[in-house]
Amino acid sequence: MDAKSWRCPSGHCFDIASKGYVNLLTTAGKNPKNAGDNAAMVKARTDFLDKGYYAPLADRIADMISARASVFAVDSGCGEGFYTARIAEKCPDCFFAGVDISKTAIAHCMTRVHQKKLSNTAFAVGSSYKLPFPDSSADELFCIFAPVANDEYARVLKKDGRLIVVSPTADHLFELKAAVYDEPYKNRPNKYGLDSFVLEDEYSLEYKEEITSQDDIYALFSMTPYFYRTSETGMARLKALDKCDVTIGFLIQSYRNNKI
Ligand SMILES: C[S@@+](CC[C@H](N)C(=O)[O-])C[C@H]1O[C@@H](n2cnc3c(N)ncnc32)[C@H](O)[C@@H]1O
């Protein structure tokens, strides 16, 4: 690595963007411009997360990580950086690397960490299935509502490294779905095929939030996958909602690497 670029062992060179991140998805045919969350999704996520509704999740993960001193942690599928930045701020002795396939999201991560003047983070546009870290280099790897990559996580995590995967609980956002759909359903558990890991611990962080702003309700709904498969009637119901008492629920699962 020099001041303006990163070089990989095979001789590839990746320029550091003016905002300070590196784009590793420059290979022809990958179309990095449109990969992952688009600008509207990134904005919705930022508008909602900045209100602090999901801050208890970031704080819980920060507590888990800060219990071990000076770790190197990866945020895989870090999105627009709310969690990476908040956790890095609470764990100043640790170093955090965020990777996301969306260039817009990673550019926003840089804005966040500049605003907070954080010096313990780095970000790259890249894939969770091809992380830019050496074998057995990470102490912690967390993945919040993003694609889970068994083989790559097993490669990058140290033997005693920990994987933290966050997914929605059955009741997460149920009241919001009930307001929009005739037949709302509860979330089913995700199946990740984490064959290289052993589940050590799981914890449901669940609480109620009264969301009283129409803009916040709309931003929340538009950062979920439901937004893109909701009928016109459902969207009309959503837009008419100016208040929603909603369950927020995160299933936090901790896994140990099975490496010998
Ligand atoms: C639901 S968002 C979650 C973002 C963030 N973890 C959060 O909770 O705010 C999923 C993220 O995964 C990213 N993503 C999708 N496929 C990916 C891949 N193959 N590698 C890395 N990131 C990916 C998207 O761009 C998006 O930012």
Side-chain angles (χ1 to χ4, degrees):
M1 177 175 160
D2 60 39
K4 291 192 174 156
S5 60
W6 286 14
R7 266 174 212 284
C8 80
S10 344
H12 300 112
C13 181
F14 302 94
D15 291 341
I16 299 174
S18 56
K19 280 194 161 238
Y21 65 88
V22 167
N23 184 358
L24 303 170
L25 294 183
T26 50
T27 323
K30 286 233 167 101
N31 194 12
K33 229 179 179 178
N34 301 325
D37 279 9
N38 61 32
M41 291 155 100
V42 168
K43 183 174 182 321
R45 196 167 287 282
T46 301
D47 288 349
F48 184 78
L49 292 175
D50 276 351
K51 296 284 172 68
Y53 295 114
Y54 285 7
L57 172 61
D59 296 349
R60 174 87 192 185
I61 294 179
D63 286 347
M64 290 166 79
I65 291 178
S66 64
R68 300 166 79 192
S70 308
V71 301
F72 169 52
V74 175
D75 184 354
S76 177
C78 62
E80 50 71 73
F82 171 80
Y83 296 102
T84 335
R86 186 165 173 117
I87 296 168
E89 197 175 21
K90 288 179 177 284
C91 304
D93 297 334
C94 303
F95 192 87
F96 295 84
V99 177
D100 198 283
I101 208 165
S102 160
K103 196 171 155 182
T104 316
I106 290 295
H108 196 273
C109 292
M110 295 310 302
T111 306
R112 277 196 183 283
V113 297
H114 285 148
Q115 279 167 354
K116 286 180 179 271
K117 298 191 180 5
L118 293 175
S119 56
N120 59 335
T121 61
F123 292 92
V125 180
S127 170
S128 302
Y129 298 91
K130 202 172 178 197
L131 292 168
F133 312 112
D135 296 357
S136 304
S137 55
D139 303 284
E140 305 270 358
L141 191 153
F142 52 97
C143 176
I144 304 174
F145 288 14
V148 172
N150 175 73
D151 293 359
E152 191 60 346
Y153 293 172
R155 181 187 71 76
V156 162
L157 275 165
K158 290 179 182 171
K159 183 175 179 296
D160 61 349
R162 174 171 55 179
L163 168 64
I164 301 170
V165 179
V166 179
S167 56
T169 60
D171 289 331
H172 181 61
L173 306 186
F174 184 75
E175 299 82 352
L176 183 56
K177 288 190 274 183
V180 172
Y181 300 126
D182 290 330
E183 291 179 28
Y185 58 90
K186 301 231 172 180
N187 301 310
R188 289 182 209 96
N190 286 332
K191 290 197 179 114
Y192 299 116
L194 282 167
D195 303 337
S196 306
F197 292 87
V198 180
L199 179 64
E200 275 208 335
D201 188 38
E202 63 181 11
Y203 174 80
S204 288
L205 174 64
E206 221 158 30
Y207 50 95
K208 284 255 187 180
E209 277 287 350
E210 191 184 34
I211 305 180
T212 52
S213 142
Q214 206 168 25
D215 288 348
D216 290 359
I217 293 170
Y218 193 80
L220 170 59
F221 199 75
S222 52
M223 65 187 239
T224 70
Y226 323 125
F227 185 75
Y228 297 91
R229 41 178 200 250
T230 297
S231 67
E232 270 182 37
T233 315
M235 287 310 281
R237 288 177 188 163
L238 175 71
K239 285 176 185 160
L241 266 184
D242 54 9
K243 190 166 145 323
C244 189
D245 203 4
V246 70
T247 302
I248 291 174
F250 304 109
L251 178 65
I252 305 172
Q253 294 178 307
S254 302
Y255 296 84
R256 283 280 158 209
N257 205 340
N258 225 351
K259 236 176 228 175
I260 303 163

